[in-house]
Amino acid sequence: MSFDLWGEQAHLDPLPILARMRAEAPVARLLDPHQGAPEWVVTRYDDVVELLRDTRFSKDKRKLPAGAREMYFRVSELDALDKHMLFSDPPEHTRLRSLVAKAFTPRRIRELRPMIVESARRLLEPLRSRGEADVLEVFAFALPITVLAELMGVPVEDQDRFQGWTKTLAAPPDFDSLRRMAVEFHDYLVEFVERRRREPTGDLTSALIEAEELGDRLGTVELISMLFLLIAAGYETTGNLIGNAVWALLSHPEQVERLRGTPALLESAVEEVLRFAPPVKNTIGAYPLADVEFCGQVIPAGEKVVASLLSANHDPSRFADPDRFDITRSADKHLAFGLGSHFCLGAQLARLEAAVAVEALLREFPKLALTGEPTRWKEGVFVHGRTKVGVTW
C-alpha cells in the first residue's frame, strides 16, 4: 500500500489520502523522502489519543540510539536551542512545564487582549485603500509576531531582526540560512536574557527568569530554549491558524453570514477551524526506546512515530460528517493542540489571537471575499497552512 503524504495530491487536498489510511492502514510505516528515513503515521482518532498518552514513546532525542539520532536530527546548530519541554520526557518535562506555567498564566494572556485588538486595528488600517491582498502576507503572520515581541519584551529597535529570524525559522530557504539563523538568534537570546536578569520588567521573559518552584529555577540554557520554543510555536502555528480561519470561513459564505448574524458564535467558529484545518497537521516525532507493539504493529526501537492530528480531527468515528465545515458544531474534543502532558501551553493565546483577528477582519471589511486564485497547502510534515489566502474587500 502506498500513501504519499509528501506528493502533489497531499498539497492540494490530503483528506482523501488520510481517509484511505484510516480505513486500510491506520498505523502505517512510510518513508520520508526528505530525510530518507522511516516514519510511522497514526491516523485514527482513538489510536492518536492512545499514542499521545503512551509513555513508551520518548520525545527526548538524547535517549535515542546513535544511528537514530543521526538519521532524524542533522542541524547541530539548533542543539543549543532545543533544551525545552517539547523535546523532553517526565520527570524533566514535568519540571520544565511547571516552571513555565508559573509565568505563562491565563491572567497574563487575558491581559494581552487590548494590545492584540489595537495591533489588529493598526495592521488593518493601511489596507483600506488597497482593495485586495494576501491575508497571510499583510496580517495573519504580522499579528502573532507583534504579540510575541510584546509578550517577551523585545525592544522596538530589535523587532525587525526578531521578525527576520522568525521568518527564516518558519521557512528556511536552505540549511545554511537555517544554521546562520540559529547561531544569530541564539547569541541574541543569550544577551537578551542577561539584560533582563539585570533589568527585569513586567514581560514574560522577566517572569520566566523569576519563576521558581521548591527552590528550582530555569537555567540560562533552559530559558533560551524555552523562549525559542515559544517563538517557534507561537509564530508559524498562529499565523497559519489565522490564515486557515479566513480561508475556511470565506470558502463557506453561508458560515460567514451565520457568524455575522450571530457574533456569539465566534468562539465556536475558532474551535471548528481548529478541528477542520488545524495549524499543525502532525505531532513532532516520538520514538520507542525498545521495540513496541502498538495497535497491532511492531514499531522498532528508534523509529519515528507521528500522530496525524488532521486525520484524527476528520475521523467519522468521532465527528459526524467530519469533512463538512460547520461553526455551530460542538468540536470541543478536537486534537489541534494535542493531548496529555504535551498539550499546547499556548492554546489560550492562539485562540485569543484567532478570535480577535477574525472579528477585526469581518468588522472592518463587510464585503471580504476570496479572490478565487488557486492555492494549496504548504509543504512540510508539521505545519498545516495555505501558501496564500488572497482576499478582496
Side-chain angles (χ1 to χ4, degrees):
M1 290 175 286
S2 176
F3 305 100
D4 188 359
L5 294 178
W6 295 268
E8 180 65 16
Q9 182 55 47
H11 298 313
L12 294 175
D13 183 6
L15 295 182
I17 301 173
L18 294 172
R20 283 202 303 117
M21 292 180 69
R22 287 194 302 270
E24 301 171 20
V27 180
R29 187 178 189 268
L30 309 179
L31 182 68
D32 180 341
H34 301 296
Q35 289 190 309
E39 178 167 305
W40 292 81
V41 182
V42 180
T43 49
R44 288 179 182 167
Y45 184 96
D46 289 344
D47 296 342
V48 165
V49 169
E50 183 177 345
L51 175 64
L52 295 178
R53 290 174 171 165
D54 197 324
T55 58
R56 297 175 298 171
F57 295 90
S58 173
K59 300 281 189 179
D60 190 343
K61 68 180 182 182
R62 291 162 294 188
K63 296 179 180 178
L64 300 183
R69 284 201 305 270
E70 294 165 359
M71 184 162 50
Y72 292 110
F73 301 95
R74 298 178 182 175
V75 185
S76 60
E77 285 80 358
L78 290 176
D79 287 350
L81 296 170
D82 66 10
K83 306 300 188 295
H84 49 67
M85 57 192 178
L86 194 61
F87 292 146
S88 63
D89 302 324
E92 184 65 5
H93 175 271
T94 307
R95 167 185 167 267
L96 291 172
R97 188 178 179 100
S98 178
L99 284 166
V100 174
K102 287 184 174 299
F104 204 73
T105 61
R107 178 181 176 181
R108 182 179 296 274
I109 301 307
R110 288 195 301 271
E111 290 174 348
L112 288 172
R113 184 180 181 88
M115 182 275 292
I116 298 173
V117 169
E118 174 57 22
S119 296
R121 186 203 63 76
R122 190 170 61 249
L123 288 168
L124 294 177
E125 180 65 29
L127 303 181
R128 294 180 182 280
S129 60
R130 291 181 56 170
E132 182 175 328
D134 176 8
V135 164
L136 303 184
E137 180 181 324
V138 301
F139 184 61
F141 284 94
L143 183 60
I145 197 64
T146 302
V147 173
L148 281 167
E150 178 73 17
L151 178 66
M152 291 173 54
V154 174
V156 173
E157 61 270 22
D158 291 346
Q159 289 185 10
D160 286 345
R161 279 194 300 162
F162 183 84
Q163 185 166 351
W165 288 324
T166 309
K167 287 182 175 179
T168 300
L169 173 67
D174 50 60
F175 276 113
D176 286 339
S177 298
L178 183 59
R179 291 187 178 98
R180 285 195 301 273
M181 180 282 303
V183 172
E184 292 174 6
F185 212 165
H186 173 268
D187 292 347
Y188 174 83
L189 289 174
V190 169
E191 193 280 330
F192 179 60
V193 166
E194 289 309 310
R195 191 190 326 162
R196 278 293 174 269
R197 286 192 193 279
R198 296 190 303 269
E199 303 169 3
T201 65
D203 57 45
L204 178 64
T205 304
S206 299
L208 286 171
I209 291 170
E210 295 166 4
E212 181 177 346
E213 182 171 4
L214 299 177
D216 185 25
R217 291 177 183 262
L218 293 168
T220 297
V221 173
E222 292 170 335
L223 272 166
I224 292 166
S225 293
M226 197 60 63
L227 291 171
F228 181 75
L229 172 62
L230 293 173
I231 295 162
Y235 174 67
E236 177 73 5
T237 56
T238 305
N240 282 328
L241 173 56
I242 295 170
N244 290 357
V246 176
W247 167 79
L249 284 163
L250 297 185
S251 296
H252 301 82
E254 76 287 354
Q255 298 295 312
V256 176
E257 291 310 306
R258 180 174 288 180
L259 180 56
R260 288 188 187 279
T262 312
L265 286 173
L266 180 60
E267 182 178 328
S268 173
V270 171
E271 294 306 307
E272 176 65 348
V273 171
L274 285 162
R275 184 202 67 83
F276 184 78
V280 173
K281 59 185 172 184
N282 296 320
T283 57
I284 64 164
Y287 306 84
L289 302 180
D291 292 358
V292 165
E293 182 176 351
F294 180 81
C295 295
Q297 299 285 347
V298 176
I299 301 175
E303 291 200 356
K304 182 179 182 179
V305 185
V306 302
S308 175
L309 305 178
L310 176 62
S311 177
N313 282 351
H314 284 262
D315 189 337
S317 72
R318 182 62 189 81
F319 301 100
D321 197 5
D323 296 343
R324 176 174 57 87
F325 181 69
D326 180 2
I327 65 172
T328 66
R329 181 195 300 272
S330 176
D332 58 314
K333 297 297 183 182
H334 69 72
L335 299 176
F337 292 120
L339 189 73
S341 63
H342 282 274
F343 182 82
C344 177
L345 193 64
Q348 184 181 354
L349 178 57
R351 286 179 165 119
L352 174 58
E353 290 185 61
V356 169
V358 168
E359 186 176 40
L361 280 164
L362 296 185
R363 180 183 65 248
E364 299 297 328
F365 304 112
K367 296 182 179 180
L368 193 69
L370 293 174
T371 60
E373 181 180 358
T375 184
R376 48 189 270 149
W377 297 104
K378 295 176 181 177
E379 296 187 15
V381 296
F382 180 64
V383 297
H384 187 56
R386 308 297 291 181
T387 54
K388 185 175 184 179
V389 181
V391 295
T392 62
W393 54 85

